[in-house]
Amino acid sequence: MEIKKANDELKEFWNNAYKKYTPHQINGKQFKSESFEKLINDYIKEDDNVLDYGCGAGWALFEITQTVKIKHGLGIDTSKIAIDYANACKDLSNIENIEYIFSDEKYLDDTSNKFDVMVSFNCFDVIPDFVIHSILSRIKKSLVNDGHVIIGINPEYPFEFLEKLGYSISDGFLMKDNIIRGNVKTRDEWIKLFTQYFELIEIRQLSLIEQELKYPRVVFVLKNC
C-alpha cells in the first residue's frame, strides 16, 4: 500500500461522506449521554479555549457548548463539505463562541499555548501513523502546560462482526472498498503512541447512543506536561 496515496483517498472519502448532511438548528443537546456529559464536566471548564481536531460535522463542540460555557471553540477538519455544514448549523443556531475551519494540522503552527483542552473523536483511529504524529506534535505546542487531551476512538468491535459488514485487514489497517476505514491497534499500542507526547491520566468508555452500550467507544484522557 502506498500510504500517502491511500491517505489522499481517505480524505476524499470522508469529504464525500458529508454530502448527504442538511444543516439544521441546534436546539439543546443532541445526545442523552451521561458518560459524555460527565467527561465534559470533568475536564472542560468555563472560559476554556477548546480545540476539536478532526471535528467532522461539528457535533462535539455543539454538545460541549450545551454543557459548559466555554470561552471559545475551534473545530478543524480536512473535509470542506463537513466544515461548511458545521458553520451553517452554527449560524442557524446563533452560536457565537465557536468556529469551524477547513484546514489540517499545519494551521496549528501559529497557535502556541492557545488551547486549554483538545478533543478529538473518531479521527486518530482512522488515519495513518505518520499523520497522527504530525498532528500530535503540533497539538502539544498548541496546548497550555497541563492542558488536557481527550481522544475518543471507535468501539472495539469483534473482527468477526466487522468481517460480516465487508471489512478486511491489510497492512495494519481496516479496509472496505479499498479505502482505509481504521488504524488497527490494541489499547496498549495506542497508549504507547499517545504517551510519546502526553501523560496518560485515564481511560474511559463512552456511549453516545443506545447501540453503543454493548460496544462503547474508548476515550483516552491525557495531559500536556
Side-chain angles (χ1 to χ4, degrees), residues 34-48:
E34 292 183 2
S35 56
F36 190 59
E37 183 170 342
K38 187 174 190 314
L39 181 68
I40 294 171
N41 285 324
D42 285 348
Y43 290 104
I44 300 178
K45 305 184 299 295
E46 287 192 5
D47 295 324
D48 274 351

Side-chain angles (χ1 to χ4, degrees), residues 107-175:
Y107 179 88
L108 300 176
D109 289 341
D110 298 321
T111 60
S112 179
N113 299 311
K114 179 175 181 178
F115 300 103
D116 301 290
V117 182
M118 188 285 294
V119 302
S120 185
F121 295 95
N122 309 118
C123 170
F124 287 97
D125 60 325
V126 298
I127 56 178
D129 282 12
F130 83 93
V131 184
I132 295 175
H133 284 289
S134 180
I135 297 169
L136 291 179
S137 63
R138 287 174 165 89
I139 287 172
K140 184 170 184 64
K141 296 177 182 178
S142 295
L143 279 173
V144 300
N145 192 40
D146 292 335
H148 285 103
V149 174
I150 300 171
I151 299 176
I153 65 174
N154 283 292
E156 297 172 319
Y157 296 116
F159 179 67
E160 293 77 10
F161 170 77
L162 295 171
E163 194 173 29
K164 290 178 181 179
L165 298 177
Y167 292 90
S168 62
I169 293 179
S170 176
D171 296 329
F173 293 104
L174 190 68
M175 307 289 294

